[in-house]
Amino acid sequence: MGTRNNSGLSDEQKKAAIRLFQDGEQTAEDAARPHGVDVNTIRRWAKQFKRLEQKTKNDDSLLDIAPPEFFNPDKPIEEYIDDICESYSRREKAHFQRKWMEFTVNMSGPIALVFIGDPHVDDNGCNWPLLKEHTEIIEKTEGMFSIPLGDYTNNWIGYLASKKYPDQEITHKRAWELAEWFLKRIKPLVIIKGNHDLWSASKGVKDPLDFISQGTVCEEWQARFQLKFPNNRIVKIHAAHNFKGDSIYNPNHGPMREELFSGSIADIYAAGDKHNWIISRYENARVNKCPVMFRARGYKYIDQYAEHLGYEPQRYGASVTCIIQPDKEGPTAISVWPELTEAKEYLNYLRSKYV
């Protein structure tokens, strides 16, 4: 729109403001129309020009030789605010689009979702024989998918890095190779980042999980999503590395609290993080649902820190599997299994009826 001067107005904008003052019969609407702007904009131009005129009249320090006027490389603040508003609108749309993401199930019959507890693949106490066995089961079983719940490597930082890595047999480089091998084989619907994974950001480097998870939904800490089956049945899942709240009397306090405070909006509430497993279920007659709430234990079977605190290591529930039968109602529509081998056999039996 032409060169700009110290008033922040282009030559054309100055002319439009002058015409608005000089032509008493011309309305603000008439002045604005040729420039394709609204009435408030033409009035703002006029006010800016009037202030500039007044400043020039009151300025007694005008020099005989005027300095040059420089082009302002920055956008006018009004245009910059418009850009900020547009950016926020895009971010808001993307943010709320992830609140209840919908996955379309294009296969008939029951499916299984394996909620994988914290692997910690590079920890000396990771039960790799069990993790390898479970990885192969998920990879080879038709209709079985996974939702890993976070903490794929130790990913130590700060003081912990200097204290822990010297005693760790698996190097940091190998740790990410193992994590990639694992995540590429378990057919994840959503990859959730836990607190150990989120430590990558504190190192000032790009999170390797963002590269490994390309092509898969990857969420920080939690994910709310739903599965839509061919018969239009909707199953809602709220999976998190952990939920708010804790209790020494109830290891499942966090998932149960979330189910209660959310009004049982989801059918499945799944968490990891605490390295223990527990399954809870009841019938919520108010909303005609039988929600299931649980923790998955994870694969860190040798944990000296936990034992020093007096916690005995559990033997089962490394991952918890939900088998969904979309044609059923009530508690049998979603069955819950703390042992993956048993879940696989039951899923194969159910799916055999659909072949």
Side-chain angles (χ1 to χ4, degrees), residues 93 227 322:
K93 182 177 180 181
L227 304 182
C322 291

Side-chain angles (χ1 to χ4, degrees), residues 117-130:
D118 307 13
H120 290 282
V121 296
D122 55 335
D123 196 274
N124 292 345
C126 175
N127 188 341
W128 256 100
L130 183 64

Side-chain angles (χ1 to χ4, degrees), residues 7-285:
S7 68
L9 299 174
S10 68
D11 294 338
E12 288 80 359
Q13 291 169 347
K14 278 183 65 176
K15 291 176 184 177
I18 293 170
R19 283 198 298 273
L20 185 59
F21 285 128
Q22 290 177 342
D23 191 349
E25 297 181 358
Q26 188 180 38
T27 65
E29 289 83 355
D30 294 334
R33 192 175 297 113
H35 298 276
V37 297
D38 61 23
V39 176
N40 292 329
T41 300
I42 199 75
R43 286 174 179 159
R44 174 168 51 78
W45 291 351
K47 286 181 182 178
Q48 284 182 261
F49 182 71
K50 191 173 183 179
R51 284 197 298 269
L52 178 65
E53 269 195 329
Q54 190 65 36
K55 180 180 178 183
T56 304
K57 288 178 183 178
N58 297 336
D59 193 352
D60 296 329
S61 61
L62 292 177
L63 303 175
D64 292 334
I65 300 177
E69 294 185 354
F70 294 103
F71 175 78
N72 185 354
D74 297 324
K75 281 187 176 182
I77 192 63
E78 290 81 7
E79 294 182 28
Y80 185 60
I81 290 173
D82 289 341
D83 289 345
I84 296 174
C85 291
E86 183 182 352
S87 295
Y88 173 78
S89 296
R90 290 197 302 268
R91 283 195 297 270
E92 182 183 53
K93 182 177 180 181
H95 175 74
F96 285 103
Q97 187 182 36
R98 290 177 173 266
K99 281 296 183 184
W100 283 107
M101 302 172 283
E102 183 170 286
F103 291 79
T104 302
V105 181
N106 294 317
M107 59 190 306
S108 299
I111 67 167
L113 300 180
V114 184
F115 294 85
I116 299 174
D118 307 13
H120 290 282
V121 296
D122 55 335
D123 196 274
N124 292 345
C126 175
N127 188 341
W128 256 100
L130 183 64
L131 182 64
K132 184 172 183 288
E133 177 189 345
H134 285 185
T135 301
E136 291 173 350
I137 288 174
I138 297 169
E139 183 179 24
K140 296 175 182 178
T141 303
E142 181 187 12
M144 183 173 279
F145 307 90
S146 75
I147 295 94
L149 297 170
D151 285 1
Y152 307 104
T153 69
N154 283 332
N155 203 26
W156 302 117
I157 57 170
Y159 167 75
L160 290 173
S162 60
K163 180 178 175 62
K164 296 289 188 179
Y165 273 130
D167 296 329
Q168 186 172 299
E169 292 182 4
I170 299 173
T171 66
H172 192 241
K173 175 179 177 294
R174 278 297 193 184
W176 286 114
E177 291 175 355
L178 291 170
E180 183 175 20
W181 177 91
F182 166 71
L183 289 169
K184 293 293 186 183
R185 283 164 174 76
I186 57 172
K187 298 180 288 187
L189 297 184
V190 179
I191 294 174
I192 294 174
K193 295 182 181 182
N195 55 299
H196 283 253
D197 309 310
L198 293 172
W199 285 345
S200 290
S202 68
K203 299 176 181 177
V205 298
K206 184 68 176 174
D207 188 349
L209 276 177
D210 293 332
F211 172 77
I212 293 172
S213 65
Q214 289 183 58
T216 304
V217 178
C218 185
E219 296 289 271
E220 293 186 358
W221 198 260
Q222 65 178 338
R224 300 180 183 93
F225 59 100
Q226 61 188 33
L227 304 182
K228 184 177 182 180
F229 288 85
N231 63 352
N232 291 323
R233 174 74 176 271
I234 299 292
V235 174
K236 289 192 171 184
I237 298 143
H238 188 174
H241 185 61
N242 197 9
F243 291 108
K244 185 177 180 180
D246 206 354
S247 169
I248 62 172
Y249 304 105
N250 179 13
N252 214 17
H253 177 80
M256 293 178 71
R257 178 185 184 276
E258 184 63 29
E259 185 274 332
L260 176 65
F261 286 1
S262 71
S264 198
I265 190 172
D267 301 282
I268 298 171
Y269 295 85
D273 187 36
K274 295 295 186 179
H275 299 185
N276 57 14
W277 74 275
I278 185 172
I279 298 171
S280 305
R281 185 163 216 178
Y282 80 112
E283 180 179 352
N284 188 337

